[in-house]
Amino acid sequence: MEMNLYGCHVPKMEQGGSIKYDRYVFSRDGWYYSQIKNEATGEINVPVFGSAVYVEAIPSTELNSIKKYGGFYIGRYEVGVEDATQDLSGFNPHNYETPGQEWTGWKNGKEVVQKDKQVWNYITRDMAKKIAEEMYSNNDVVESRLCSSYAWDTALKFIEAKNTGYATNSEGDNYSGSLNHTGIGSTARNNIYDMGGNVGEWTTEVSSHPSHQCTVHGGRYDRSANNGPAGHRENGTQSSADVTVGFRSTLFVRL
């Protein structure tokens, strides 16, 4: 796999950097998905989804790597798949339930982080996590992970330093339309700004909802910026997969 990744540099936290590796809320008065963070517990509540809250404990290896090396890398593009065949055996298009938690509708494919590749959609959260962790399993320098809520939110903070308001406004209104064969929305930027469009993306954040314990972040092509900006989060089941959700990888330097 090519090291074709977007470098998201986070200033060293022990030096009082301006962007802290953390989970953030991106809300706007009057928008129905406005998020509320409990600073005491770290819980993030999205009122429209009832009483469910979103939580995630920061992995110590990620935090220690950032403290030592001053940042992390997030995939410039959503994880794609090449040399694969689509096999949706057992997939139920009416409720998106799949045969198991580690399921994908793409068979015998190779994961890539490259421009203009078929987005790896039709995949459950657990399978996305497995594939992301295997990307650099034989590399002694870096380790790859499925994007966490910390990496997602911090990257948005980084992007907003250059594109004010991206997390709440994003490019959602410019992504409406069907996915084409490469999984790219009609006017997708096909780069890091796809966090606000193209497909929603699984993360390692979890929800307290009893039957929807996984979390999807970001905007996607079938929604406008009003109900699916880059800072959006919603819950999903562990055995769900469909055309509108993929995933993104992150890299951390090994200690």
Side-chain angles (χ1 to χ4, degrees):
M1 178 180 163
E2 294 183 7
M3 283 277 288
N4 189 6
L5 297 175
Y6 178 91
C8 179
H9 178 258
V10 183
K12 288 189 175 182
M13 296 169 67
E14 66 271 22
Q15 296 178 359
S18 59
I19 302 178
K20 181 181 178 182
Y21 192 64
D22 202 354
R23 296 165 72 233
Y24 296 91
V25 294
F26 303 96
S27 60
R28 183 173 177 177
D29 291 341
W31 288 26
Y32 75 85
Y33 57 79
S34 294
Q35 303 164 10
I36 303 169
K37 183 176 181 180
N38 185 324
E39 295 297 340
T41 64
E43 297 176 343
I44 292 177
N45 181 30
V46 183
V48 71
F49 292 111
S51 59
V53 294
Y54 296 83
V55 297
E56 183 165 19
I58 185 171
S60 59
T61 53
E62 289 187 11
L63 182 59
N64 291 335
S65 174
I66 288 172
K67 284 183 175 180
K68 183 173 182 179
Y69 298 106
F72 68 100
Y73 293 88
I74 185 168
R76 182 189 299 253
Y77 310 107
E78 294 153 332
V79 173
V81 59
E82 63 180 6
D83 301 328
T85 57
Q86 191 176 84
D87 179 2
L88 300 181
S89 301
F91 175 70
N92 187 331
H94 299 292
N95 63 10
Y96 306 121
E97 291 302 306
T98 64
Q101 292 182 15
E102 291 190 358
W103 181 90
T104 175
W106 294 98
K107 303 299 182 183
N108 304 314
K110 175 186 177 184
E111 65 276 10
V112 293
V113 181
Q114 297 175 15
K115 184 178 181 180
D116 295 333
K117 295 295 183 181
Q118 166 63 52
V119 168
W120 200 320
N121 51 10
Y122 288 112
I123 188 169
T124 60
R125 194 284 307 271
D126 287 359
M127 179 58 83
K129 182 174 182 292
K130 179 180 179 181
I131 292 173
E133 291 175 350
E134 292 175 348
M135 284 176 134
Y136 284 90
S137 58
N138 297 322
N139 191 297
D140 294 331
V141 179
V142 296
E143 61 179 320
S144 179
R145 294 170 179 248
L146 179 64
C147 190
S148 69
S149 58
Y150 287 86
W152 185 277
D153 290 351
T154 303
L156 288 184
K157 282 290 184 180
F158 180 88
I159 291 172
E160 284 210 313
K162 299 180 179 296
N163 189 341
T164 303
Y166 179 76
T168 52
N169 294 320
S170 73
E171 303 295 327
D173 290 329
N174 296 324
Y175 280 90
S176 59
S178 300
L179 293 177
N180 64 22
H181 70 283
T182 59
I184 301 168
S186 56
T187 57
R189 293 175 181 267
N190 192 219
N191 57 26
I192 192 65
Y193 287 100
D194 277 341
M195 293 176 76
N198 210 30
V199 294
E201 301 175 27
W202 290 117
T203 67
T204 52
E205 186 178 63
V206 296
S207 161
S208 66
H209 192 289
S211 61
H212 293 72
Q213 298 174 345
C214 301
T215 307
V216 176
H217 278 236
R220 62 193 207 191
Y221 74 95
D222 62 337
R223 295 181 178 179
S224 68
N226 281 347
N227 59 20
H232 184 69
R233 51 182 20 105
E234 64 182 277
N235 48 42
T237 66
Q238 287 179 284
S239 57
S240 65
D242 66 50
V243 66
T244 65
V245 178
F247 64 107
R248 190 178 300 264
S249 63
T250 53
L251 285 183
F252 296 86
V253 179
R254 293 186 186 275
L255 299 171

